[in-house]
Amino acid sequence: MTNNTKKKAAMMLSIAVALAAFSGQAWAEQGTKASAPASITTTATKSVTKSATKAGGINPYEVAGIKDPAAFTAYFAKLQKAVKDNKPEQVAELISYPMNLNKNNKTFLIYSKKDFVNKYDRIFTSAVRANLLAQQVDQLFVNYQGVRVGEGDLWIGERSHKLGVISVNVINNPYEAAGIQNPVVFEHNFSLLQKYVKEGKKSEAAQLMVYPLKVNSNGKTMEIKTAKDFIAKYDKIMTAKVKKALLAQKVDKVGVNWKGISIGNGALWMGQSGEQVGVFAINL
């Protein structure tokens, strides 16, 4: 090989090495850029992805006319936070006006934010708020009418490219003043209490007490701290007089005030403590 040939070969080898190094660097940079977004996933995106997977599509809210699932997830979280923080003015910003308020088999229109805020407690009742806050975003029901929250307490939709609550369905709750969130739960538990007492089922009746249970007699109060304690003292607590008053009580004739629900002219008092609805006081 001549000197000129050797020089040409060396030059070609240098160029090849340089090109290989440049290509490798460029490939590495492209690989880094492509993989970076995969590590940045917001909570909203995760929720939407989970919902989408469950619904079997990219946009689980599409049938309701909602175009951006991530925007909906962010909106829903904002609505829950505003309600949880008890901020009526902030909730009012998330309503689509005019909004339908369905109550007592009648439909009322809420035309403005001011109107909504003034009637907030009558629109977003304790039951509506509780069901909204308990709702998981990936468990929402969706159809052409909108996105249903709870058992239909609220419906959310998109109007003029803006998300908002389009309707609220309020169940008539005659026990709300006593702090009962769901009238159906109270009436169910009241019916069970009558049934168990009538059948003499002490253990079952004990599960419908709120502990510590206050038993008032002759100006003195005794606290029953557990179901076991209640069962042991059942006959002394659930006297013939108390049983008669309970079994004679009609559910639509109970007394309701801020203290609770009076059964049998105050022989028993029922109320709600946390999630439990039951008897919290008995007067002998």
Side-chain angles (χ1 to χ4, degrees), residues 51-126:
S51 298
T53 301
K54 184 173 181 178
I58 295 174
N59 181 0
Y61 314 113
E62 187 173 8
V63 69
I66 294 172
K67 301 174 182 63
D68 187 342
F72 175 84
T73 302
Y75 162 85
F76 190 71
K78 190 175 181 180
L79 176 63
Q80 286 186 313
K81 186 177 187 306
V83 170
K84 184 178 180 180
D85 293 344
N86 194 28
K87 303 287 187 181
E89 291 80 8
Q90 291 181 17
V91 178
E93 296 289 338
L94 302 171
I95 305 299
S96 181
Y97 302 99
M99 186 202 80
N100 288 336
L101 171 62
N102 302 308
K103 189 174 184 179
N104 299 330
N105 297 318
K106 294 180 180 179
T107 298
F108 306 90
L109 289 176
I110 305 299
Y111 286 100
S112 66
K113 296 174 186 176
K114 182 179 179 181
D115 193 17
F116 176 84
V117 172
N118 288 339
K119 298 173 181 174
Y120 181 75
D121 290 330
R122 284 174 283 171
I123 300 171
F124 271 54
T125 62
S126 57

Side-chain angles (χ1 to χ4, degrees), residues 119-280:
K119 298 173 181 174
Y120 181 75
D121 290 330
R122 284 174 283 171
I123 300 171
F124 271 54
T125 62
S126 57
V128 171
R129 295 195 300 270
N131 290 337
L132 169 63
L133 295 178
Q135 178 69 63
Q136 300 296 317
V137 72
D138 61 343
Q139 299 295 323
L140 288 162
F141 173 80
V142 185
N143 66 16
Y144 72 96
Q145 294 175 304
V147 180
R148 186 186 74 184
V149 179
E151 294 299 321
D153 302 85
L154 297 92
W155 285 82
I156 298 170
E158 185 173 322
R159 292 175 177 170
S160 302
H161 308 292
K162 183 181 178 182
L163 290 165
V165 175
I166 57 177
S167 68
V168 175
N169 298 306
V170 176
I171 299 173
N172 184 39
N173 184 1
Y175 318 111
E176 188 169 8
I180 301 295
Q181 294 181 355
N182 190 331
V184 176
V185 173
F186 165 74
E187 291 174 1
H188 175 70
N189 286 8
F190 176 73
S191 177
L192 284 179
L193 180 62
Q194 287 185 315
K195 179 178 184 293
Y196 294 151
V197 169
K198 184 178 181 179
E199 295 174 357
K201 294 183 176 180
K202 300 178 182 180
S203 298
E204 287 80 356
Q207 300 306 313
L208 294 170
M209 303 295 132
V210 176
Y211 301 100
L213 170 69
K214 296 184 183 299
V215 179
N216 305 305
S217 178
N218 298 322
K220 295 181 180 180
T221 299
M222 173 176 60
E223 284 195 349
I224 306 299
K225 296 183 178 180
T226 65
K228 184 178 180 180
D229 194 15
F230 175 82
I231 294 168
K233 297 181 173 72
Y234 183 85
D235 292 329
K236 293 180 181 179
I237 298 170
M238 299 300 292
T239 63
K241 181 181 177 181
V242 171
K243 290 178 185 177
K244 183 178 179 180
L246 170 63
L247 297 178
Q249 180 69 64
K250 301 295 183 183
V251 71
D252 59 342
K253 299 294 183 181
V254 296
V256 182
N257 62 28
W258 62 272
K259 295 179 182 179
I261 300 175
S262 171
I263 310 295
N265 292 321
L268 303 92
W269 283 83
M270 293 184 70
Q272 182 162 346
S273 177
E275 296 298 319
Q276 185 182 6
V277 174
V279 177
F280 65 85

